Amino acid sequence: MINKISCLALLCFTTIGFTQTSAKINTLIENEISSGKVPALAVAVIDNGKIVHLSANGLRDVQLKKKATVSTPFHIASVSKTVTNIAVFKLVEMGKIDLKVDINTYLPFKVKNPFFPNEKITVELLLKHRSGIKDDGKYYGPYWSNPNGDPTIGLEYLKDYLVPTGKIYKKSHYDSNKNHKSIFKYSNTGIALLGYIIEQVSGMDYESFCQKNIFKPMKMNNTSWFLKNLDSSKVAKTYVKSKTKGFIFKGHNGYPDYPGGQLRTSITDYTNLIAGFLNADNNQFVLKNETKNLIVPPVRTPHLGYYTWFIKAINDNLYYEHGGGDTGVRTISIIEPTKKRAIIIFANHPYSFDKLYRDIEQEIWGK
């Protein structure tokens, strides 16, 4: 049976309503769970700015047979970047960050691409994954593949990673291609650096800034960048699957570059955030509608990329999307800002749910 939230918990905005969930969507989700592909799924659909489906199904803890609910925090992996995006633009609105200014304006140490030392790296380039700052798989690999909970080092690690005098610095942490500003290269380190810039500009640690300026105003009470701020017994465990042992919990994910992927949030909290984002024209969101339109203008083929979000074709329609994958995790957030539509899926196992969201999209908007 799918757990559903009461209407009262969804009334964060007067424009958001809760309607009877589609029996077809329920069946699609239940089929995924019953197939044994994934322990738990949390799914939401927004249509015309209103939440029309919100559910959680399956087990957040397989061994203890604890059910997932719409209040269960899931690790959402790189979908976390959509929240870091909002945090950056909150400071843009406050006049404390300029998208086109050299990031060294905001940092206590100098970040320079050794291959292009006179080049300016901006917040805009970081948001668009065109900064020339690269991920080092050898450094991050042990964190990404061996979950061990909250990281024990802060975002200050970036000085060691990016500055020549740093203990883990390598020239290869930067792109040597002279055309890198026009070539997309996904950079978790670049997003982590945005989190560090937010700390420097705001004078607050990143978690506190997000709690004050995003999570609390949006009533996201089951959301945090850190396990220590949540009841870990209620957080969905993340699973890999063995042919002989079934679903195996390897531990909760955590890593130094946490602004790029470590957020834990419930389907209720994140859906209310996205509904607020899509309905920013009602002046009840943490960003202005003009800012939302800057982040996600009408969907079209990108030239030099958009801020954080990507373009995805689903069936016969174009959407913005951001996916996430991690040890024991797969997630996706799909939005169409002009029509105020969204599909959000959190899974606590990294299986492929492409058919699920395509079937949901076809069921709701395929007519």
Side-chain angles (χ1 to χ4, degrees):
M1 180 63 66
I2 292 180
N3 299 293
K4 299 175 185 176
I5 194 165
S6 67
C7 294
L8 291 176
L10 287 172
L11 297 180
C12 293
F13 309 96
T14 57
T15 57
I16 297 175
F18 185 79
T19 63
Q20 182 66 34
T21 56
S22 162
K24 174 66 173 177
I25 294 176
N26 285 341
T27 299
L28 291 171
I29 297 167
E30 288 167 350
N31 287 343
E32 295 290 291
I33 296 293
S34 62
S35 71
K37 298 175 183 176
V38 60
L41 281 173
V43 179
V45 178
I46 299 170
D47 186 27
N48 195 29
K50 301 180 185 297
I51 300 171
V52 297
H53 178 93
L54 188 72
S55 67
N57 200 4
L59 299 175
R60 72 171 192 266
D61 188 316
V62 172
Q63 285 70 36
L64 297 179
K65 300 189 185 305
K66 297 289 186 180
K67 293 182 179 181
T69 75
V70 290
S71 297
T72 297
F74 280 72
H75 177 91
I76 65 169
S78 284
V79 172
S80 304
K81 292 178 174 69
T82 64
V83 177
T84 295
N85 172 290
I86 291 172
V88 169
F89 278 96
K90 184 66 180 177
L91 285 167
V92 171
E93 282 192 351
M94 294 166 69
K96 294 185 176 182
I97 285 180
D98 186 320
L99 295 173
K100 299 183 182 299
V101 165
D102 192 316
I103 58 173
N104 289 308
T105 304
Y106 309 119
L107 294 170
F109 50 82
K110 292 294 182 183
V111 174
K112 288 290 182 183
N113 187 326
F115 302 104
F116 309 100
N118 297 320
E119 178 182 88
K120 181 172 69 173
I121 300 174
T122 65
V123 169
E124 180 176 55
L125 290 171
L126 291 172
L127 285 165
K128 293 183 175 182
H129 296 278
R130 286 167 167 79
S131 68
I133 294 174
K134 298 167 61 178
D135 291 337
D136 183 343
K138 289 185 178 179
Y139 173 71
Y140 290 119
Y143 294 102
W144 291 345
S145 60
N146 299 296
N148 197 29
D150 291 341
T152 58
I153 60 175
L155 294 174
E156 294 80 11
Y157 88 93
L158 289 160
K159 181 178 181 180
D160 279 339
Y161 188 97
L162 295 168
V163 177
T165 56
K167 296 177 182 178
I168 55 175
Y169 173 84
K170 297 177 184 177
K171 286 183 71 174
S172 59
H173 291 168
Y174 293 88
D175 200 327
S176 61
N177 186 332
K178 66 179 181 179
N179 297 316
H180 66 265
K181 285 187 176 181
S182 60
I183 301 172
F184 170 86
K185 284 195 177 179
Y186 196 77
S187 176
N188 290 285
T189 308
I191 302 301
L193 187 57
L194 288 173
Y196 188 68
I197 289 171
I198 288 168
E199 291 189 337
Q200 297 304 304
V201 169
S202 69
M204 305 171 68
D205 65 82
Y206 186 57
E207 166 79 2
S208 296
F209 179 84
C210 289
Q211 289 289 350
K212 179 180 179 180
N213 293 281
I214 302 173
F215 304 154
K216 297 302 182 187
M218 300 302 297
K219 297 179 171 53
M220 298 171 70
N221 298 320
N222 293 299
T223 301
S224 176
W225 290 100
F226 297 103
L227 274 170
K228 65 183 180 181
N229 297 328
L230 299 166
D231 182 345
S232 60
S233 69
K234 295 181 180 179
V235 174
K237 288 184 174 179
T238 53
Y239 292 97
V240 296
K241 196 171 186 181
S242 163
K243 289 182 179 180
T244 57
K245 297 180 180 180
F247 291 113
I248 300 171
F249 173 56
K250 293 184 65 176
H252 288 293
N253 295 288
Y255 22 74
D257 55 321
Y258 69 85
Q262 193 176 284
L263 191 69
R264 290 174 178 85
T265 187
S266 69
I267 192 69
T268 297
D269 283 2
Y270 185 79
T271 302
N272 277 335
L273 181 73
I274 293 300
F277 182 73
L278 295 175
N279 287 298
D281 54 355
N282 69 6
N283 298 315
Q284 296 184 51
F285 190 55
V286 295
L287 295 178
K288 298 174 183 176
N289 193 50
E290 293 79 4
T291 304
K292 182 260 292 184
N293 290 336
L294 173 64
I295 298 170
V296 285
V299 182
R300 60 186 182 275
T301 303
H303 173 47
L304 291 178
Y306 293 123
Y307 298 112
T308 307
W309 294 86
F310 309 108
I311 301 294
K312 188 177 189 69
I314 303 176
N315 298 322
D316 296 322
N317 298 310
L318 281 178
Y319 295 86
Y320 286 102
E321 68 90 22
H322 207 298
D326 215 330
T327 301
V329 176
R330 190 175 179 210
T331 56
I332 197 165
S333 181
I334 301 163
I335 63 173
E336 209 295 357
T338 303
K339 298 177 181 178
K340 299 185 179 181
R341 295 172 173 176
I343 298 172
I344 301 157
I345 303 175
F346 300 161
N348 61 346
H349 177 268
Y351 89 110
S352 176
F353 49 51
D354 291 27
K355 186 176 186 302
L356 175 61
Y357 68 69
R358 291 183 181 279
D359 286 348
I360 291 173
E361 197 274 349
Q362 182 67 27
E363 172 68 18
I364 302 294
W365 303 302
K367 301 177 178 62

